[in-house]
Amino acid sequence: MEEKKDITEDTKTYLFDKPANVKGLLGFFFCLLILLIILDFFIHKHGYFGWENWPGFFAAFGFVACVMVISIAKLLRVFAKRDERYYD
Amino acid sequence: MINHLLNTGFPPGLVFIIGALFIPLLKGRVKSAFMLMLPVLAFIGLTRVSVGTHWVVKFLDYNLVFGQVDRLSIPFGYIFILISFIAVIFAMHVKDDIQHVSGFIYAGSALGVTFAGDLFTLYIFWEFMAIASTFLILARKTKESHSAAFRYIMVHVVGGLLLLAGIILYIKDTGSMTITHMTLGTPATWLIFMGIAVNAAIPPLHPWLKDAYPEATVTGAVFLSAFTTKSAVYIMARTFAGTELLIWLGAFMTVIPVFYAEIENDVRRVLGYSLINQVGFMMCGVGIGTQLAINGTVSHAFCHILYKALLFMSVGSVLYVTGKIKCTDIGGLYRTMPMTCIFCLVGAMSISAFPLFSGFVSKSMIISAAGHGHMAIIWLMLQFASAGVIAHAGIKVPYFTFFGHDSGIRAKEPPLNMLIAMGIAAFLCIFLAVCPQYLYSILPYPVDYVPYTGAHVVGQLQLLLFGVLAFYMFLKSGYYPSEVRAINLDLDWFYRKPMRAVDYVFAKVLNGLNSAADQVIVKDFTGAVNRFAVEPVLNLTCFVLAPFVKSGDNTDSDLTGRQAIASAFRTGTTPVGIYSACACLFIVVLYIFL
């Protein structure tokens, strides 16, 4: 393993240290989201289930599903969290 | 003979296993070249053999089949050899021969399982896999890895015994050793099912995976992630395809680990839970059993081995270079490890099934198969799990490792061989998606599935990017569960905590028995016997001789006669005359009484 420099010696500014870059990335991301919603009305859908054809179904599903995953995970942590040395 | 071998092919598994034995005899560049050559040789051996039943060996009354070569086993054979090649490049710098030998025996045994045509051969290679993989965990040489390896081998011994019991009962029931499709119902088939389920990490038999894989070596984890679970998927596809129970087990298997992965601190443990989630998709596909589903399972296994290895390699590189692997300790590493970061992102996008990455052309076949079969609840569960994948693997892994809070670490990129291995895997993840026809051509059944339809691309991008939006909003608002130093209780609690109690009870009871026995038998009883042997003789001698004895040449005559005799007994300095007098007395007594 090579010698590790740490932050005290490192004065370089990196890509996402600049707020402008972070803003640019987020802007690009939100544009993509809007584009996907718009595209939704132009594509030809033929899903197996009726609900697949609703406009914006997958967008809503993805959003709600992730919210649920993170929320339930937080709840799981309440019950399951133990100290690192629990089994020792 | 070479011609003959080139015409009939040769078992790739044996190439690995026999080749592994030569590794410790070689050194330096020769060793590296040899290790790289083994997968190439194995590949040649596999490509030269035609579809059919080959490499049959007669054993007692049965035929052992080492070459069940057909459209189901061939793709697994190819991917196992390919990933061995990549993993060998990744592990090229490792000086520990045991890791190399174990890795090859492990990979070779997985190939043996893949091409086994009969249950006996299957079982032998199955157990070889368990033993060889344990060494990859032991090789880390830490206290945690030792106990994890112990638990790992115990679980796999139990799994192996279940499988063996099932095999024996099955042979008794049917008289046949051939691996063929089975229907769940008899004790034999249930036992075989459970034995395979242990290796596939089907909940509730899953904790060994999340327990042991994070404790393996950096390079060992890459081997581990590829073989045990996927060979179990293969055997399940051969024996229990179309079993309805598997559809439900698989669906739950995709959902449950997602929550654990989301709150886990050790990044390799997050990947372990992610592995269980992905194998769940494969199990579900096996359960559905239609041609589309089996195609989906095989292609997903193929792609998953590559992108999971890529993720383990990139995260393992971080561990290698920084010595740290917990979310609490790392972060902000994109600054000095941009290549590793990009490779990790490729792996993350592949596992999330982004269009133009390998997961998109494989996982979606399984979900489509669920749709075809009008399995609404299953379809919803699988889609839910897919969104969950984005949360815990697609974003969490790269974000908390390479972005997120700046840990201050400015480590360099890992050695070149590790970067090359990651590069190959990343290239394949993208190539397989851009040109899916190559992957589709080796699948068991003809493929008329078209992944790149407008609806599918837009739908999938919506699912993924709006999931990212949810993640972003949680992070920005501060509601995202923060990185904490903690573990989470899973079902392994049941054999870990009670084991400590059992251990404690055993220690107290057995050590207590030991001390008690020591006290009673060694000290008290033996002492008593000793005293019994000496005292009467001493008393008799004293009675007879005490008045006449002086304490040798000592001028100090404070010792009484008794004390003098006792000290003489103790030190063994009794004058010879006393011994002979005792002996004569003894003979006289004997003569009188006998």
Side-chain angles (χ1 to χ4, degrees), chain A residues 15-62:
Chain A
L15 184 65
F16 294 116
D17 288 335
K18 300 197 184 84
N21 287 337
V22 178
K23 273 193 158 191
L25 181 70
L26 282 171
F28 173 69
F29 175 65
F30 283 111
C31 284
L32 264 183
L33 291 180
I34 298 172
L35 177 68
L36 284 170
I37 296 292
I38 297 174
L39 274 176
D40 207 84
F41 296 99
F42 291 97
I43 53 163
H44 191 58
K45 294 187 226 182
H46 31 66
Y48 300 107
F49 304 103
W51 55 70
E52 279 183 83
N53 299 320
W54 300 343
F57 169 75
F58 283 103
F61 189 90

Side-chain angles (χ1 to χ4, degrees), chain A residues 1 5-7 10 14 16-17 36 40 49 51 58-59 63 73-74 77 80-82 84 86-87, chain B residues 263 320-321 326 334-335 379 408 410 459 462 466 472 479 482 485-489 493 496-497 500:
Chain A
M1 275 189 240
K5 290 193 300 184
D6 68 34
I7 197 170
D10 187 1
Y14 294 91
F16 294 116
D17 288 335
L36 284 170
D40 207 84
F49 304 103
W51 55 70
F58 283 103
F63 186 82
K74 277 189 88 158
R77 181 174 262 181
K81 178 170 154 230
R82 293 291 182 280
E84 277 184 321
Y86 177 78
Y87 284 118
Chain B
I263 51 172
Y320 179 77
V321 181
K326 299 203 172 140
Y334 81 89
R335 294 174 172 85
W379 187 94
R410 296 288 182 265
Q462 282 184 354
F466 279 85
Y472 170 74
Y479 280 109
S482 50
R485 292 195 159 282
I487 63 163
N488 300 303
L489 293 187
W493 184 93
R496 287 177 80 173
K497 215 42 171 174
R500 298 199 54 73

Side-chain angles (χ1 to χ4, degrees), chain B residues 32 35-36 39 82-95 99-100 104 216-225 268 308-321 337 340 343 413-425:
Chain B
S32 303
M35 290 202 297
L36 278 174
L82 177 60
I83 198 63
S84 306
F85 184 72
I86 295 174
V88 164
I89 298 177
F90 188 71
M92 196 65 85
H93 61 282
V94 171
K95 299 270 182 287
Q99 286 190 54
H100 293 305
F104 270 108
T217 56
V218 166
T219 55
V222 179
F223 278 93
L224 286 171
S225 68
R268 294 205 298 175
K308 200 35 135 281
L310 180 57
L311 284 168
F312 266 105
M313 284 195 281
S314 55
V315 160
S317 299
V318 168
L319 175 59
Y320 179 77
V321 181
M337 298 176 75
T340 316
F343 291 138
E413 296 275 18
L416 184 63
N417 64 300
M418 293 164 95
L419 287 172
I420 291 177
M422 288 193 272
I424 298 176

Side-chain angles (χ1 to χ4, degrees), chain B residues 388-585:
Chain B
V389 167
I390 248 277
H392 78 262
I395 312 177
K396 172 167 167 148
V397 168
Y399 182 76
F400 286 105
T401 313
F402 293 100
F403 301 95
H405 81 274
D406 189 355
S407 58
I409 303 172
R410 296 288 182 265
K412 289 220 181 106
E413 296 275 18
L416 184 63
N417 64 300
M418 293 164 95
L419 287 172
I420 291 177
M422 288 193 272
I424 298 176
F427 169 76
L428 286 169
C429 281
I430 300 176
F431 177 76
L432 287 173
V434 170
C435 307
Q437 61 272 24
Y438 293 105
L439 173 63
Y440 288 174
S441 65
I442 61 172
L443 294 181
Y445 301 105
V447 180
D448 54 14
Y449 178 78
V450 180
Y452 290 102
T453 62
H456 188 212
V457 171
V458 172
Q460 185 71 3
L461 279 173
Q462 282 184 354
L463 184 89
L464 296 174
L465 291 179
F466 279 85
V468 173
L469 177 68
F471 191 93
Y472 170 74
M473 284 167 67
F474 264 97
L475 268 181
K476 206 80 171 95
S477 65
Y479 280 109
Y480 188 82
S482 50
E483 311 126 271
V484 291
R485 292 195 159 282
I487 63 163
N488 300 303
L489 293 187
D490 199 336
L491 288 177
D492 57 343
W493 184 93
F494 287 102
Y495 58 82
R496 287 177 80 173
K497 215 42 171 174
M499 267 320 289
R500 298 199 54 73
V502 168
D503 222 24
Y504 179 78
V505 166
F506 266 108
K508 278 265 176 289
V509 168
L510 292 177
N511 285 342
L513 267 175
N514 208 28
S515 329
D518 186 54
Q519 186 63 34
V520 168
I521 295 172
V522 175
K523 295 196 175 85
D524 294 346
F525 181 65
T526 319
V529 168
N530 224 28
R531 279 192 299 281
F532 178 73
V534 172
E535 295 278 312
V537 179
L538 180 62
N539 288 336
L540 192 59
T541 319
C542 290
F543 177 70
V544 171
L545 291 180
F548 307 106
V549 158
K550 288 200 180 68
S551 54
D553 292 322
N554 279 357
T555 49
D556 159 28
S557 54
D558 278 353
L559 289 175
T560 62
R562 188 196 164 83
Q563 282 170 331
I565 295 174
S567 100
F569 266 53
R570 227 180 2 259
T571 54
T573 52
T574 336
V576 169
I578 300 220
Y579 284 124
S580 37
C582 285
C584 290
L585 198 61

Side-chain angles (χ1 to χ4, degrees), chain B residues 75-76 79-80 225-226 229-231 233-234 278 282 294-308 362-363 366 439 443:
Chain B
F76 281 94
I79 187 59
F80 286 159
S225 68
T229 39
K230 257 56 86 200
S231 53
V233 168
Y234 163 76
Q278 294 289 294
M282 296 176 220
I294 297 292
N295 275 349
T297 302
V298 176
S299 64
H300 195 215
F302 199 97
C303 296
H304 175 260
I305 287 179
L306 284 168
Y307 59 65
K308 200 35 135 281
S362 58
K363 189 197 297 182
I366 300 176
L439 173 63
L443 294 181

Side-chain angles (χ1 to χ4, degrees), chain A residues 62 65-66 69, chain B residues 258 262 277 382-394 463:
Chain A
C66 266
V69 165
Chain B
V258 166
E262 200 68 52
N277 155 279
L382 294 182
Q383 290 284 27
F384 179 83
S386 299
V389 167
I390 248 277
H392 78 262
L463 184 89

